[in-house]
């Protein structure tokens, strides 16, 4: 019986040791030091970049009560953080929590078990008001607020006067605006009519007829050009024929003139020969042939 009890205690001790080793492998105890800290619950959640990262387990003061220590258990599985991270106390929905903030200039050494880090408190509106009330700053805030309200009242009066002036100007301008609106409407109607006419002119059927007329006109011009060329050739042929006939007639006329001249020469020679004979004049007078 005694041996069985010892065996059970040994197994429990071994499992406890293994559990402690596993726990320390993935969890570490870190202490945050705060210069000033209001009453603070000992068990709140700790977050890193919006995700739950651990929880606080103890809140206690230093020996001289100048600082406050907050012990936290952090789950560091797969995460290596520099040892100069900051633990900031924040409040959301009237609940406090701690946010682990990554530093702008991280150190080369990592966070480890029993590390001590800096703690700070993010000021809230209520704490700011309380601090101002204790220091007498609320009186100054009230005076500034009163000045602001008075200035706002003056501004509202000026805006009211400006609106009234704008109303008066609008009343004076209303006839002109109405006339301008009517002119604009008339111009819009005219533009719509012109657009409609352009649309009617640009309809496919009309465009098709216009193109057909243009094509027909082009064909007529081509035909007229060809007829003009044929007429030119015909006139050229007539001119050539006329020139040829004229030259032939002139040649015939010249030939006839030559014949007449030759005949006249023969007559003159015969007359001369007859006159050169004895009693030639008498021969001519009595109608004797000229030889």
């Amino acid at each position: 019986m005694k041996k069985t009890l010892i065996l059970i205690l040994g197994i429990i001790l071994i499992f406890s040791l293994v559990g402690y080793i596993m726990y320390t492998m993935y969890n570490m105890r870190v202490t945050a030091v705060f210069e000033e800290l209001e009453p603070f619950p000992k068990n709140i959640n700790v977050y890193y970049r919006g995700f739950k990262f651990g929880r606080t387990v103890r809140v206690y003061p230093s020996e001289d009560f100048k600082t406050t220590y907050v012990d936290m258990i952090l789950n560091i599985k797969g995460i290596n953080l520099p040892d100069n991270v900051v633990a900031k106390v924040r409040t959301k929905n009237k609940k406090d929590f701690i946010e682990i903030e990554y530093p702008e200039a991280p150190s080369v050494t990592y966070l480890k078990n029993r590390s001590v880090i800096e703690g700070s408190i993010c000021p809230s509106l209520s704490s700011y008001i309380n601090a101002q009330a204790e220091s007498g700053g609320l009186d100054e805030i009230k005076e500034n607020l009163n000045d602001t309200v008075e200035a706002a009242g003056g501004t509202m009066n000026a805006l009211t006067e400006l609106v009234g002036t704008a109303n008066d100007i609008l009343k004076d301008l209303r006839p002109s605006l109405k006339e301008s609106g009517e002119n604009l409407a008339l111009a819009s109607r005219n533009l719509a009519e012109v657009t409609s006419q352009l649309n009617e002119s640009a309809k496919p059927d009309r465009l098709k007829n216009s193109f057909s007329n243009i094509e027909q006109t082009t064909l007529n011009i081509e035909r007229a050009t060809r007829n003009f060329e044929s007429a030119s050739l015909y006139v050229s042929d007539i001119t050539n024929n006329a020139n040829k006939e004229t030259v032939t007639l002139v040649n015939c006329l010249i030939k006839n003139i030559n014949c007449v001249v030759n005949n006249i020469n023969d007559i003159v020679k015969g007359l001369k020969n007859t006159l050169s004979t004895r009693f030639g004049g008498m021969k001519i007078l009595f109608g004797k042939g000229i030889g």
Side-chain angles (χ1 to χ4, degrees):
M1 183 69 182
K2 187 176 180 180
K3 291 182 179 179
T4 304
L5 184 60
I6 294 172
L7 181 60
I8 292 173
L9 290 175
I11 293 172
I12 293 173
L13 182 61
I14 291 172
F15 274 102
S16 300
L17 182 61
V18 171
Y20 177 77
I21 293 172
M22 294 294 293
Y23 180 80
T24 55
M25 284 179 62
Y26 299 114
N27 295 276
M28 67 172 58
R29 191 181 187 94
V30 177
T31 301
V33 181
F34 292 86
E35 296 294 333
E36 294 182 2
L37 188 64
E38 297 177 356
F40 194 73
K42 70 174 183 178
N43 190 3
I44 65 172
N45 292 327
V46 180
Y47 292 87
Y48 175 65
R49 294 185 177 179
F51 295 94
K52 188 176 179 181
F53 191 53
R55 58 185 177 83
T56 61
V57 293
R58 185 186 177 193
V59 179
Y60 55 97
S62 62
E63 293 180 356
D64 55 2
F65 282 86
K66 291 183 178 180
T67 57
T68 302
Y69 297 103
V70 177
D71 291 341
M72 302 176 290
I73 300 297
L74 304 180
N75 185 0
I76 61 169
K77 184 179 179 180
I79 300 176
N80 289 321
L81 294 176
D83 61 1
N84 61 340
V85 293
V86 179
K88 287 193 173 183
V89 177
R90 301 179 184 272
T91 302
K92 185 175 182 180
N93 297 329
K94 298 182 179 180
K95 291 184 179 180
D96 295 328
F97 65 95
I98 291 180
E99 179 79 21
I100 300 298
E101 189 174 87
Y102 198 88
E104 294 182 0
S107 64
V108 296
T109 56
Y110 293 115
L111 203 63
K112 59 184 178 180
N113 196 32
R114 301 293 179 180
S115 292
V116 178
I117 62 175
E118 179 186 355
S120 66
I121 300 175
C122 291
S124 62
L125 179 61
S126 59
S127 62
Y128 175 76
I129 292 175
N130 291 332
Q132 291 296 326
E134 291 176 359
S135 63
L138 281 181
D139 295 334
E140 185 178 354
I141 292 175
K142 289 179 181 178
E143 292 177 359
N144 293 335
L145 185 60
N146 288 331
D147 294 340
T148 303
V149 171
E150 291 178 1
T155 303
M156 289 300 296
N157 292 333
L159 286 175
T160 304
E161 293 178 0
L162 180 61
V163 171
T165 304
N167 257 340
D168 295 337
I169 294 173
L170 185 59
K171 287 179 182 178
D172 295 337
L173 291 178
R174 190 170 294 167
S176 299
L177 290 175
K178 183 179 179 182
E179 185 178 357
S180 298
E182 292 175 353
N183 292 334
L184 181 60
L186 180 60
S188 299
R189 286 196 297 271
N190 293 334
L191 181 60
E193 291 177 0
V194 172
T195 304
S196 177
Q197 292 176 2
L198 289 175
N199 286 334
E200 289 292 331
S201 300
K203 284 185 176 179
D205 294 338
R206 291 195 174 186
L207 289 176
K208 185 176 180 181
N209 292 334
S210 299
F211 290 146
S212 299
N213 293 333
I214 292 172
E215 291 178 356
Q216 188 64 38
T217 303
T218 304
L219 292 175
N220 292 335
I221 292 173
E222 290 179 354
R223 290 174 183 173
T225 303
R226 287 197 297 269
N227 292 335
F228 181 74
E229 290 177 353
S230 300
S232 298
L233 293 175
Y234 181 71
V235 170
S236 178
D237 292 338
I238 292 174
T239 303
N240 291 333
N241 293 331
N243 289 336
K244 290 179 182 179
E245 291 177 0
T246 301
V247 171
T248 303
L249 292 174
V250 170
N251 288 334
C252 291
L253 180 61
I254 292 172
K255 287 180 181 180
N256 291 331
I257 291 172
N258 286 331
C259 291
V260 171
V261 170
N262 290 329
N263 291 333
I264 291 173
N265 285 332
D266 291 337
I267 292 170
V268 172
K269 287 180 181 180
L271 183 59
K272 184 179 179 180
N273 292 330
T274 301
L275 289 174
S276 62
T277 61
R278 190 176 180 180
F279 302 108
M282 294 297 292
K283 291 179 180 179
I284 292 172
L285 182 63
F286 289 103
K288 190 176 181 179
I290 298 173

